[in-house]
Amino acid sequence: MDSPFTVPAIVIVTLATVIIGAYGLRLARTTSDFLVASRTVSARWNAAAIGGEYLSAASFLGVAGLVLKFGVDVLWYPVGFAAGYLALLLFVAAPLRRSGAFTLPDFCELRLRSRRLRKLATAFVVFIGWLYLVPQMQGAGLTLTTVTGGSYLMGVLLVGVVVTASVALGGMRSITFVQAFQYWLKLTALAVPVLFLALHWQMEGTTPPDPVFRETTTVHFDHPAKLTQADGTVLAPSAGETLTFQAGEPVPKVESVNYGTDWLLPGERGLFATYSLILATFLGTMGLPHVLVRFYTNPDGSAARRTTLVVLALVGMFYLFPTLYGVLGRVYTPELLLTGRTDAVVLLLPSSALGTGLLGQLLGSLVAAGAFAAFLSSSSGLLTSVAGVLSTDVLGRGSVRDFRISAIAGGIVPIVLALNVSGLDVSQVVGMAFAVAASSFCPLLVLGIWWRGLTDAGAAAGILAGGGAAIGAVLLTVLGPPLPGWLSVLIGQPAAWTVPLAFAVMVLVSLATRHRLPGTVSTIMLRLHAPDPVAASRG
Amino acid sequence: MERTRVVLREVRQRAVEQELAEQTQVGEALIKGLMRAQLSLALRLAVVVLIGLGGLPLVFYFAPPHGKSSILPWLLLGVAAYPFLFAAGYTYVKLAENNERDFSAVVRRDG
């Protein structure tokens, strides 16, 4: 895709991010300003900021790519991503805000009075943060390769450096403005092109011409395949073979891909995997460190509830669009099924469907800009929370200088990792971050808020058992050999057993260590649950 | 204007706090009641959503859609799920705020 507008569009998005960040920098004066935006952010700004931060590369590019490949089954990803905010609203939002905790480690110390549990939570925040940051930077590298032909290295470095610098310099106030701006940019970047695409599809009728390769494409086959060409002849490349298709040649159909109406129907992934995914996304959102930090910027518990409700609306509105891209991708860009680069469908669809005229080029650049906004916003939110816990718990005592040093240290690690690991699948890794969060912080928050009997020993044991098992599953999937049959499902989608494990261990160990119950539990429960005017004087 | 209101609220807050601190027994019972009400509200809505959305994979598994009805899973998961989730969230916020208003009314009456 070579549109003259793409590079300027990406440059504008990046500059706007830096400039809005700098505008916030002038406002950020004290440490408290710096870290929590002084808790003066209004519900609508805050909700847009949460949405902007949450909708990452996995949402912007990954969902459409998955729909293109797997059909209706993977719609559970976006539904789960949105439903996570409902779980957050029902069980966590208002009490968490009233607790006054800024980060998850803060919550541990406040509720259970344990420094050691605080350290454990810090380790998990940093692990989840990095697990989520690496695919963001990879996505940026891949996008830059796809849309400009630039190098992977450049894309990773560009996003990595811009994000690290803006977090280190601006802190959270500026990030709030940046994130809110980027939510609306992302929504526009998907919504406007899809209107044109849908109109085009309507006018063309439901049977568009057979798709052809738009440029000379070389496909390398890792596995033996069977390709059926338009004239009915069958190609059968073996593993390791390379085929080159000329521009203008019709795109053949791959045997292993489902072209029939089965793609329309649910049921290919199996019930266990589907329910495991639903559980991970439904319960994982509340355990994502960058989402929770933002709740502190609400003035009180009721505002936290209203903000979450607005987020639910904004995120739901966004997720209407990736599905359409995936479906239209079946019509206009089936060559991606052959090359395996299905994650690029959002980027390539405008020019594939509308041609390489001015309209196609402009819309293509708009989508590329939106994709960049997705990387920038998610990674800066993640880095802010990683730097937040690093600066208060590991590298210093939470001064502005500590925060800056932590931001740089926290940013370098995922950049280096992203440069060295390029084989990971974006959506898969993000799904694993959800599974780890759902098996560690979700039980901690839910039991900590609603059950007086939780002890520090119980919480630590539950986090280690559930979260540890989920991390083990992640490492095994990423680094280990391919697993046979049902084992690969258990390990690849671990939430269905690691979440109940974490809850069970937490409850049992707490019951066994009842003598460790903190004496302050009544005061804390009053603070968490009493309506705001009552609680405020206690805080 | 703003300042007056804030001061008034603080005075009222202090009175409530004193009351809760002095009558720990009553205060504790009240808070426990509120927690129970809020948790059961949250659980009931979670069950509604879990049955409404979480039941779909089972429905699709045991009664696979076919022919014309194969568009149904797309509409349910791709479109209808989001307003449904929002409606659940909206209901929760309304009812949870009602619970809190009731609680505050009781606290004030006791004081």
Side-chain angles (χ1 to χ4, degrees):
Chain A
M1 190 171 100
D2 27 62
S3 150
F5 307 108
T6 305
V7 174
I10 291 176
V11 170
I12 288 171
V13 169
T14 311
L15 276 181
T17 305
V18 174
I19 290 169
I20 302 178
Y23 166 72
L25 182 61
R26 283 195 296 126
L27 300 171
R29 288 203 188 92
T30 65
T31 311
S32 136
D33 248 14
F34 219 61
L35 289 180
V36 298
S38 300
R39 302 195 221 164
T40 53
V41 183
S42 81
R44 222 177 295 164
W45 273 99
N46 211 359
I50 294 177
E53 196 158 318
Y54 187 63
L55 300 169
S56 67
S59 300
F60 195 90
L61 300 178
V63 169
L66 285 173
V67 172
L68 170 63
K69 210 190 301 187
F70 298 110
V72 73
D73 280 332
V74 293
L75 288 183
W76 286 108
Y77 274 95
V79 170
F81 289 157
Y85 279 97
L86 184 68
L88 184 65
L89 173 65
L90 295 182
F91 297 107
V92 176
L96 182 79
R97 175 59 198 92
R98 287 169 183 154
S99 76
F102 171 50
T103 62
L104 281 160
D106 284 351
F107 179 80
C108 289
E109 191 175 356
L110 204 129
R111 170 70 178 81
L112 297 163
R113 308 272 160 202
S114 161
R115 299 283 303 173
R116 275 204 295 202
L117 184 63
R118 184 186 175 105
K119 295 272 179 254
L120 180 67
T122 303
F124 268 83
V125 166
V126 174
F127 182 85
I128 295 173
W130 281 342
L131 189 62
Y132 214 122
L133 268 167
V134 173
Q136 303 302 326
M137 305 214 171
Q138 274 184 289
L142 295 174
T143 302
L144 213 67
T145 331
T146 306
V147 299
T148 67
S151 74
Y152 175 75
L153 179 82
M154 268 295 295
V156 172
L157 283 181
L158 181 68
V159 167
V161 170
V162 167
V163 165
T164 308
S166 87
V167 169
L169 295 177
M172 227 168 95
R173 159 93 72 164
S174 60
I175 294 302
T176 303
F177 291 131
V178 175
Q179 304 288 23
F181 158 74
Q182 279 170 343
Y183 169 79
W184 293 108
L185 176 61
K186 276 183 261 191
L187 187 70
T188 316
L190 280 192
V192 172
V194 98
L195 287 180
F196 283 96
L197 289 170
L199 273 177
H200 179 77
W201 186 61
Q202 275 299 310
M203 285 183 338
E204 211 173 42
T206 43
T207 50
D210 280 337
V212 295
F213 285 101
R214 280 165 307 120
E215 51 193 15
T216 306
T217 306
T218 304
V219 183
H220 181 83
F221 292 88
D222 291 329
H223 310 284
K226 252 193 190 146
L227 311 178
T228 311
Q229 288 184 302
D231 56 8
T233 54
V234 176
L235 294 173
S238 48
E241 204 174 312
T242 302
L243 283 181
T244 302
F245 300 91
Q246 298 303 319
E249 242 182 275
V251 178
K253 292 184 172 179
V254 193
E255 195 196 34
S256 61
V257 173
N258 212 328
Y259 287 95
T261 48
D262 279 1
W263 176 77
L264 284 169
L265 301 177
E268 269 188 54
R269 288 166 56 88
L271 278 180
F272 180 86
T274 305
Y275 277 113
S276 202
L277 175 71
I278 293 174
L279 203 62
T281 48
F282 191 63
L283 298 178
T285 305
M286 68 174 74
L288 295 178
H290 63 305
V291 172
L292 281 196
V293 168
R294 217 153 258 300
F295 276 84
Y296 198 61
T297 55
N298 288 297
D300 57 32
S302 316
R305 267 195 212 118
R306 284 194 299 273
T307 300
T308 319
L309 190 61
V310 181
V311 175
L312 196 54
L314 292 179
V315 167
M317 186 159 70
F318 178 87
Y319 282 129
L320 296 175
F321 299 105
T323 313
L324 291 172
Y325 278 84
V327 173
L328 289 172
R330 276 272 159 165
V331 180
Y332 293 109
T333 57
E335 77 271 13
L336 296 176
L337 291 168
L338 184 62
T339 58
R341 288 175 52 233
T342 42
D343 277 350
V345 59
V346 169
L347 299 168
L348 296 176
L349 196 58
S351 60
S352 299
L354 304 169
T356 46
L358 185 65
L359 185 63
Q361 284 185 347
L362 280 175
L363 294 178
S365 311
L366 182 61
V367 199
F372 247 73
F375 310 133
L376 289 176
S377 53
S378 293
S379 3
S380 52
L382 285 159
L383 188 56
T384 304
S385 41
V386 169
V389 298
L390 279 181
S391 74
T392 49
D393 289 287
V394 184
L395 296 175
R397 291 160 169 271
S399 72
V400 170
R401 195 169 148 268
D402 291 337
F403 183 82
R404 288 187 170 156
I405 295 172
S406 305
I408 294 168
I412 288 176
V413 175
I415 294 177
V416 171
L417 283 177
L419 287 178
N420 289 304
V421 196
S422 52
L424 300 181
D425 180 42
V426 173
S427 327
Q428 197 190 9
V429 180
V430 167
M432 300 197 126
F434 273 88
V436 175
S439 339
S440 54
F441 289 134
C442 162
L444 173 79
L445 285 167
V446 170
L447 292 177
I449 287 172
W450 297 104
W451 188 43
R452 286 161 185 262
L454 184 70
T455 65
D456 54 346
I463 291 180
L464 283 174
I471 289 180
V474 170
L475 296 179
L476 203 62
T477 311
V478 173
L479 307 170
L483 297 162
W486 59 272
L487 203 58
S488 79
V489 182
L490 276 186
I491 299 296
Q493 294 284 357
W497 60 276
T498 53
V499 174
L501 176 73
F503 270 101
V505 171
M506 229 176 249
V507 170
L508 291 176
V509 176
S510 291
L511 289 177
T513 56
R514 226 171 293 168
H515 60 279
R516 298 181 65 94
L517 275 178
T520 48
V521 66
S522 294
T523 325
I524 293 169
M525 284 303 173
L526 176 63
R527 194 208 277 198
L528 293 185
H529 295 283
D532 298 301
V534 179
S537 62
R538 288 250 143 182
Chain B
M1 195 56 197
E2 177 69 13
R3 178 71 198 149
T4 333
R5 210 166 44 117
V6 168
V7 170
L8 275 177
R9 201 170 67 174
E10 272 173 5
V11 170
R12 195 175 308 145
Q13 276 164 21
R14 213 156 298 141
V16 171
E17 181 201 15
Q18 219 165 20
E19 192 265 332
L20 283 172
E22 279 164 8
Q23 307 180 17
T24 5
Q25 297 284 320
V26 180
E28 185 116 346
L30 282 175
I31 275 291
K32 278 189 176 155
L34 176 66
M35 273 176 73
R36 209 166 300 135
Q38 299 289 50
L39 185 60
S40 79
L41 169 64
L43 286 174
R44 266 179 289 163
L45 279 166
V47 166
V48 168
V49 171
L50 286 181
I51 293 175
L53 271 178
L56 289 179
L58 278 176
V59 172
F60 295 154
Y61 185 81
F62 287 110
H66 51 85
K68 275 243 159 95
S69 71
S70 59
I71 193 74
L72 203 63
W74 287 92
L75 289 180
L76 287 176
L77 291 181
V79 183
Y82 303 107
F84 176 63
L85 288 172
F86 181 81
Y90 184 82
T91 314
Y92 172 75
V93 171
K94 284 284 154 236
L95 296 179
E97 283 180 352
N98 282 352
N99 284 346
E100 290 183 348
R101 246 194 307 279
D102 293 349
F103 173 85
S104 304
V106 171
V107 169
R108 223 163 281 149
R109 206 168 31 231
D110 283 3

